[in-house]
Amino acid sequence: MTTTEVSAIDRAFLCLERDVAPMHLGAVAVFAPRRPVRPDRVARVLAERAQQISRLRLRVRGSWIPPGYARWEELPDFRAQNHVHVHQLPSPGGRGELAVLVAELNAVPLDLSRPLWELHVITGLDGDRFAVLVKLHHALADGCGAIEAGLGLLDGFTPDQAPQQTALPSDPLFDTVLRAVGRLSRPSRLLCDALSAANDLPTTVRQTVEIAASVMRNMRLPALDSPLHARASAARRVALIPIEGRDIRRIRARHGGTTNDIALTVVTGALRRWLDTRGYTLDGRTVRALIPVNYRSRGKSRADNNQLSGYLCDLPVGEPDPATRLRTIRAVMDRNKSSGPLRGPGAFPVLAGLMPSIAQLFAVPLAGQAAGLLFDTMITSVPLPNVAVSLDGASLREIYPLAPLAAGHALSIGVTPYRDIIHIGVQANRCAVGDLEKLSEALPLEVAELVDLDS
């Protein structure tokens, strides 16, 4: 049976899993078919292609030797069709009805004893369209890996190759012990390994201490009246908002910055409007966002495992001028990029990846509960190739990412530019955010305000 190691950071995502805070990524893809939709056919096509994707055949098997160690292994008699489900939207089948159903489906945790993914085919959308909700556990792949797996489900893409077999765990300490025991009969090789480990140890220790110290320095008590923090709940609300890409290009041409800088500014302005409708004092207020960053090296397969870090960005929701908000966010993100993704308080995912497996069992869940001490919300940008793709001949028209919602947080936001549309997916704690439509309406209004600065 083919097995692969579960990396340290992937184990951390498994340790974070809770019924009220499931750690799967989501994406809502909307397709426009040329012929009437046959949901059974779409489900069969998806299942046939998923069956060929090696990573989707894997489940997690834990072990207590060493404590907390886990491995990926192929599920015997794996049947992809057991992970593909079909649903029908109620009339009129608009974006609102789609968001309600997606919120219900996405709130349900994945079964950790099975391969960690699900596909939900949703028919009944207006315009004879259909949607597919993809749920993929963060331990299985990061955003880039999820896209790679998703492409294998579409027309014209080749499934990935089977993973290489390995028996070595990813725990650095245990890995070193195994190598030492296996080479006791070769003193010269053992000496070389020991010297190499000794050379690497100061760098690893220094990186660990630097990140941990930075995290501790940047912890703060969240504002008592902040609507972005709430008691964890399994109930969800979802909003799916498209923004015209040409408007973003106009803003960028006039004011500079990256598409991500402008997206962050749009979200900042929308949060400002939303907080104002709730009667919150805005002067001097900031919202600290975690911006996940992929630091995978060139040439490394996206399906290997998570390679994640992050930046912290204080969004200036108290600033009334949109141009100043954009300049402030650009400056903060430029400083983050200059420091790099492996330094600073936002690099705490790297810190999780440096922990021994036994420490993760206890430290990671506690850290997850304390996420609110470090940031108020997560805003992730998910890259997608800007090429026309299809599923069983139906063209992909929209795709909205859904980021996991950390325990104690009220909102998470995902952004995906694709085919001249910026797709924004918002996932909210339903018990805490009963007015998600106000935030949704504020996003295009903020874009319009930034565009009007050109005139």
Side-chain angles (χ1 to χ4, degrees), residues 203-246:
T203 300
T204 301
V205 171
R206 183 172 63 252
Q207 182 184 22
T208 302
V209 171
E210 287 179 353
I211 296 173
S214 185
V215 168
M216 295 300 294
R217 286 196 304 269
N218 283 272
M219 282 187 171
R220 80 282 185 267
L221 290 175
L224 294 177
D225 64 342
S226 174
L228 294 170
H229 297 269
R231 184 184 299 275
S233 168
R236 296 286 184 266
R237 294 194 70 193
V238 164
L240 311 171
I241 307 103
I243 301 294
E244 291 290 341
R246 61 174 176 268

Side-chain angles (χ1 to χ4, degrees), residues 53-224:
I53 299 176
S54 60
R55 196 148 183 86
L56 298 186
R57 300 196 294 266
L58 302 177
R59 67 175 175 180
V60 175
R61 291 300 298 271
S63 170
W64 287 100
I65 304 175
Y69 168 63
R71 68 185 185 274
W72 298 106
E73 69 172 25
E74 287 193 11
L75 179 67
D77 301 322
F78 168 67
R79 297 178 183 275
Q81 59 264 37
N82 295 336
H83 294 256
V84 183
H85 311 277
V86 176
H87 310 268
Q88 174 76 23
L89 272 187
S91 180
R95 191 175 290 121
E97 288 77 20
L98 176 61
V100 170
L101 178 57
V102 165
E104 294 175 359
L105 297 173
N106 203 52
V108 180
L110 294 167
D111 184 347
L112 299 186
S113 68
R114 307 173 66 205
L116 299 178
W117 62 277
E118 289 177 356
L119 299 175
H120 296 265
V121 179
I122 303 171
T123 60
L125 273 72
D126 54 14
D128 297 321
R129 300 171 303 154
F130 70 90
V132 177
L133 168 64
V134 182
K135 295 171 61 175
L136 188 72
H137 201 282
H138 218 322
L140 193 65
D142 54 24
C144 291
I147 289 170
E148 188 169 281
L151 288 175
L153 301 172
L154 300 175
D155 300 343
F157 290 88
T158 303
D160 62 352
Q161 300 297 315
Q164 295 182 347
Q165 184 169 347
T166 179
L168 290 178
S170 59
D171 187 309
L173 178 60
F174 191 74
D175 186 57
T176 301
V177 173
L178 280 182
R179 287 200 306 268
V181 171
R183 294 169 183 173
L184 283 174
S185 60
R186 292 171 287 175
S188 60
R189 183 63 178 272
L190 181 61
L191 178 60
C192 290
D193 287 349
L195 290 174
S196 176
N199 288 332
D200 292 341
L201 185 60
T203 300
T204 301
V205 171
R206 183 172 63 252
Q207 182 184 22
T208 302
V209 171
E210 287 179 353
I211 296 173
S214 185
V215 168
M216 295 300 294
R217 286 196 304 269
N218 283 272
M219 282 187 171
R220 80 282 185 267
L221 290 175
L224 294 177

Side-chain angles (χ1 to χ4, degrees), residues 246-257 262 454:
R246 61 174 176 268
D247 291 334
I248 302 299
R249 288 197 299 273
R250 286 179 61 185
I251 297 167
R252 185 176 180 182
R254 177 72 172 81
H255 300 281
I262 296 167
D454 295 345

